[in-house]
Amino acid sequence: MTVNVLTQRLLELGRVKFLLYSPILYTVGAIIPTLGGGSIDALRFIHGVAFTWITHLMTHYCNEYYDLEPDRANKAPSPWTGGSRVLVKGLLEPKLSLHIAYALAGVSLVLALLMPTLSARVLCLLAIFFSWEYSAPPFKLEALGLGEFTVTLVLNTLVPLLGYCLQSGGLQPHPLLLVLIPLGIIEYIRMMVMNMADWESDAKTWKKTLVVRIGIENAVKVHGVGMVLAYLSLIPLYRVGVPLIVILALASTAYMGLRYAYRLQKGAWRKKATMWIIPYVASTHNGLGGSAALIGMILLKPGFSPSALEFFPLYLYLGGFFLLKFMARLKQQQTVAA
């Protein structure tokens, strides 16, 4: 196996495309302490982003190893669900994925212990614990119906709070942190969609996700209610002090979210040939929600003076989005030509 092939397979195994989202949420938290004036501390920002990415990547390699049985049972995977398929196809040894996860966990732990404040260290240690236990024993939280909660806790709560904590020096209450509520709901139901695509194969194994436990039809109903609640929550958020520009930015993503939620209610989950499109749209909507919140906050900056660091996750997400679309189109053309 050549170095290029090995690198390609390791990247596929790590599902790096999902790393585009976490820096957005991190920056949503990091920008808040600067809205009254001042700029982001670059060293602390980079420290936090490095921790977030390494921990996120650790979760992927860990999950690939421990989810191998349900991934093998999945006969209808997609680019967004069913795992990377690298281990299922036997392209790499499963133990390699676990060893990489251990190595990344070690790096995450070092980065956590080097955090400048106690509150930041606690947030990091909690993120490592819940990220690992998402799929790994002894808890295997995803198999207890707690996978959606775990992802939301880490990505939509601990990560932005870490960004906020590193820039503010602590965890003081701030009304803008309330934007994590609608973003958290959107993340939770997005994870339900990811599990809807795999629910039949998951039900045959130990992976009894929330969708498996409550049934696919009930899960679709919960998803619809959650989407409506996410956007209705913007009303009380405005009343308690979240600026109108941030509310309007978040509300701009409502059409996309409510439209795909409506499609689910109308039975899109029954169409197996095209069901994979729903997780793609849900993931895109999720990323746009975080991006909208960040853009709204950037517009609040005094004199509109954002730094390059505040735009970094937006450029990354946009560039990654177009790159993934280009690669998917190229792969489709190669398949047709063959």
Side-chain angles (χ1 to χ4, degrees), residues 150-224:
T150 304
V151 172
T152 303
L153 173 64
V154 175
L155 282 181
N156 292 73
T157 307
L158 298 177
V159 165
L161 286 181
L162 175 63
Y164 178 83
C165 180
L166 286 175
Q167 298 302 318
S168 66
L171 286 176
Q172 303 85 10
H174 195 290
L176 269 171
L177 288 173
L178 293 173
V179 302
L180 301 181
I181 294 173
L183 293 179
I185 296 173
I186 289 170
E187 178 71 81
Y188 188 95
I189 60 176
R190 193 272 297 196
M191 285 305 301
M192 291 187 72
V193 170
M194 306 299 275
N195 288 330
M196 285 177 198
D198 299 337
W199 76 277
E200 290 178 303
S201 56
D202 288 344
K204 298 174 183 177
T205 66
W206 54 264
K207 193 177 177 180
K208 301 300 187 288
T209 63
L210 178 64
V211 175
V212 173
R213 288 171 178 270
I214 68 176
I216 182 69
E217 294 189 7
N218 287 331
V220 169
K221 293 175 183 176
V222 171
H223 180 278

Side-chain angles (χ1 to χ4, degrees), residues 295-316:
I295 291 170
M297 292 181 188
I298 288 174
L299 293 173
L300 287 175
K301 296 281 287 189
F304 187 66
S305 55
S307 69
L309 289 176
E310 293 157 4
F311 274 111
F312 155 72
L314 297 175
Y315 290 140
L316 180 71

Side-chain angles (χ1 to χ4, degrees), residues 90-112:
L91 300 178
L92 291 173
E93 286 294 324
K95 282 290 184 180
L96 178 59
S97 187
L98 183 61
H99 292 158
I100 294 173
Y102 280 135
L104 292 171
V107 176
S108 290
L109 184 59
V110 171
L111 290 172

Side-chain angles (χ1 to χ4, degrees), residues 67-331:
D67 267 11
L68 185 53
E69 180 190 345
D71 285 348
R72 281 175 173 160
N74 193 330
K75 303 305 180 184
S78 78
W80 299 93
T81 58
S84 71
R85 316 307 289 177
V86 171
L87 300 185
V88 172
K89 295 176 182 177
L91 300 178
L92 291 173
E93 286 294 324
K95 282 290 184 180
L96 178 59
S97 187
L98 183 61
H99 292 158
I100 294 173
Y102 280 135
L104 292 171
V107 176
S108 290
L109 184 59
V110 171
L111 290 172
L113 296 177
L114 290 175
M115 288 291 165
T117 66
L118 176 61
S119 53
R121 289 193 288 273
V122 171
L123 289 171
C124 288
L125 293 175
L126 287 173
I128 293 172
F129 172 79
F130 282 102
S131 296
W132 188 268
E133 290 300 327
Y134 174 77
S135 57
F139 297 110
K140 290 190 175 184
L141 294 169
E142 62 175 348
L144 299 177
L146 295 173
E148 292 83 355
F149 168 80
T150 304
V151 172
T152 303
L153 173 64
V154 175
L155 282 181
N156 292 73
T157 307
L158 298 177
V159 165
L161 286 181
L162 175 63
Y164 178 83
C165 180
L166 286 175
Q167 298 302 318
S168 66
L171 286 176
Q172 303 85 10
H174 195 290
L176 269 171
L177 288 173
L178 293 173
V179 302
L180 301 181
I181 294 173
L183 293 179
I185 296 173
I186 289 170
E187 178 71 81
Y188 188 95
I189 60 176
R190 193 272 297 196
M191 285 305 301
M192 291 187 72
V193 170
M194 306 299 275
N195 288 330
M196 285 177 198
D198 299 337
W199 76 277
E200 290 178 303
S201 56
D202 288 344
K204 298 174 183 177
T205 66
W206 54 264
K207 193 177 177 180
K208 301 300 187 288
T209 63
L210 178 64
V211 175
V212 173
R213 288 171 178 270
I214 68 176
I216 182 69
E217 294 189 7
N218 287 331
V220 169
K221 293 175 183 176
V222 171
H223 180 278
V225 171
M227 188 66 76
V228 172
L229 284 178
Y231 287 102
L232 285 180
S233 71
L234 298 180
I235 299 172
L237 260 59
Y238 174 67
R239 295 177 67 89
V240 298
V242 177
L244 180 60
I245 188 66
V246 177
I247 296 296
L248 292 177
L250 284 166
S252 70
T253 65
Y255 175 75
M256 182 180 187
L258 293 170
R259 186 172 182 270
Y260 94 77
Y262 178 78
R263 289 177 62 192
L264 272 177
Q265 302 301 314
K266 287 298 183 179
W269 59 271
R270 293 189 175 92
K271 302 172 183 177
K272 295 182 181 180
T274 56
M275 174 56 192
W276 69 271
I277 298 174
I278 301 297
Y280 165 71
V281 174
S283 296
T284 303
H285 173 249
N286 193 38
L288 290 178
S291 299
L294 179 55
I295 291 170
M297 292 181 188
I298 288 174
L299 293 173
L300 287 175
K301 296 281 287 189
F304 187 66
S305 55
S307 69
L309 289 176
E310 293 157 4
F311 274 111
F312 155 72
L314 297 175
Y315 290 140
L316 180 71
Y317 184 77
L318 188 63
F321 177 79
F322 285 114
L323 178 61
L324 288 172
K325 288 200 71 172
F326 171 77
M327 291 175 65
R329 186 174 300 175
L330 184 63
K331 186 174 181 179

